[in-house]
Amino acid sequence: MNITALVLTAGKSSRMGKDKLSLPLESIPSNQNATPVMTIGGKVLSTVLHTEQIQQVITVTAPYSSSQWQQEIQDWIQQYPSKMQNVVCEQAHLGMSYSIRCGMKQVRLSSADAVLILLGDQPLITSTMLTELMTIYQHQPDVDFIACADHEGIKPPVIFPEHMWMYLEELEGDQGARKLLTNPYFYSNIVRYPDHFFWDADTPEAWLQIQQHLAQY
């Protein structure tokens, strides 16, 4: 089993009104000298990079990604030069599908037999969750995808084995991989988790909700 994580961080943060990935999570100190408090995006990267079963981490940014987030990406790469790299997607403004396609070009250059796709604005994702998904993949390598779900339905993180990559490379628009996740043709294994794992920091209210949750645990 050789899994590469693809972390999508090329969103415009339009609903937040400013770069959401660099917003601090006040209750979590960072071990980075350049970042005294862990950020939303940094929390996701920390989780992925500290999950042992993940061999490589590829982030996707956009030309318009904030200088602060670009610098944080470089700080992480300096800490994990053999495990992490970044790809700038020139077409990120056209939708999430283009970020996936851009990232998949780099995944193709790795020795991975599966890709784990995550969103950079879901800081409550845990290593335990990712490990559970990868354990399922280890025992079901022929499944078309392994995904998470809450009461609303299927959501990332999601693992796509190599035989599904051609479909990822054909995606268009801003739906991401949703077209594949909702296709009854594909054989999947869906793992349900409590809703809070999937909270994303799209708005100031959501950012506050995440911080309040973290302060309780």
Side-chain angles (χ1 to χ4, degrees), residues 7 22 28 45 53 66 75 85-86 104 111 114 120 129 133-134 147 149 199 205:
V7 186
S22 296
I28 305 180
L45 292 182
Q53 295 89 337
S66 72
D75 291 343
Q85 57 185 302
N86 181 63
M104 287 305 301
S111 57
M129 173 192 291
L133 297 178
M134 290 185 288
W199 290 350
E205 293 77 17

Side-chain angles (χ1 to χ4, degrees), residues 24-212:
L25 296 171
E26 297 293 349
S27 61
I28 305 180
S30 171
N31 60 3
Q32 291 179 274
N33 293 330
T35 309
V37 176
M38 187 70 79
T39 63
I40 290 171
K43 176 66 166 57
V44 175
L45 292 182
S46 179
T47 297
V48 175
L49 287 163
H50 290 101
T51 301
E52 293 183 2
Q53 295 89 337
I54 295 174
Q55 279 71 40
Q56 188 175 19
V57 178
I58 299 171
T59 52
V60 180
T61 57
Y64 49 78
S65 295
S66 72
S67 58
Q68 185 176 354
W69 178 241
Q70 292 181 50
Q71 182 58 56
E72 185 167 352
I73 288 281
Q74 293 307 311
D75 291 343
W76 283 107
I77 290 175
Q78 287 181 5
Q79 290 190 64
Y80 298 90
S82 63
K83 188 172 183 177
M84 180 176 167
Q85 57 185 302
N86 181 63
V87 177
V88 179
C89 180
E90 298 292 339
Q91 296 181 302
H93 64 285
L94 297 176
M96 187 183 296
S97 297
Y98 291 87
S99 291
I100 293 174
R101 288 164 54 179
C102 187
M104 287 305 301
K105 291 180 181 180
Q106 199 64 37
V107 173
R108 284 283 189 187
L109 300 177
S110 72
S111 57
D113 52 57
V115 62
L116 169 65
I117 298 181
L118 309 94
L119 304 181
D121 65 349
Q122 293 181 327
L124 300 182
I125 297 298
T126 67
S127 288
T128 299
M129 173 192 291
L130 301 182
T131 299
E132 288 174 349
L133 297 178
M134 290 185 288
T135 299
I136 293 172
Y137 169 65
Q138 188 173 17
H139 292 92
Q140 291 183 294
D142 295 329
V143 73
D144 291 327
F145 64 85
I146 301 160
C148 300
D150 61 9
H151 83 279
E152 294 181 341
I154 301 174
K155 295 184 176 181
V158 55
I159 294 176
F160 288 100
E162 188 173 6
H163 70 268
M164 289 291 292
W165 293 0
M166 66 178 124
Y167 299 106
L168 292 171
E169 293 162 340
E170 295 173 351
L171 293 173
E172 295 182 347
D174 199 31
Q175 292 295 306
R178 189 177 305 172
K179 178 180 178 181
L180 305 181
L181 300 180
T182 57
N183 189 332
Y185 170 80
F186 296 119
Y187 171 56
S188 63
N189 191 325
I190 309 301
V191 186
R192 298 193 177 278
Y193 292 95
D195 290 6
H196 71 267
F197 281 103
F198 308 100
W199 290 350
D200 52 30
D202 275 350
T203 64
E205 293 77 17
W207 174 32
L208 177 61
Q209 181 184 39
I210 289 170
Q211 292 193 88
Q212 290 174 338

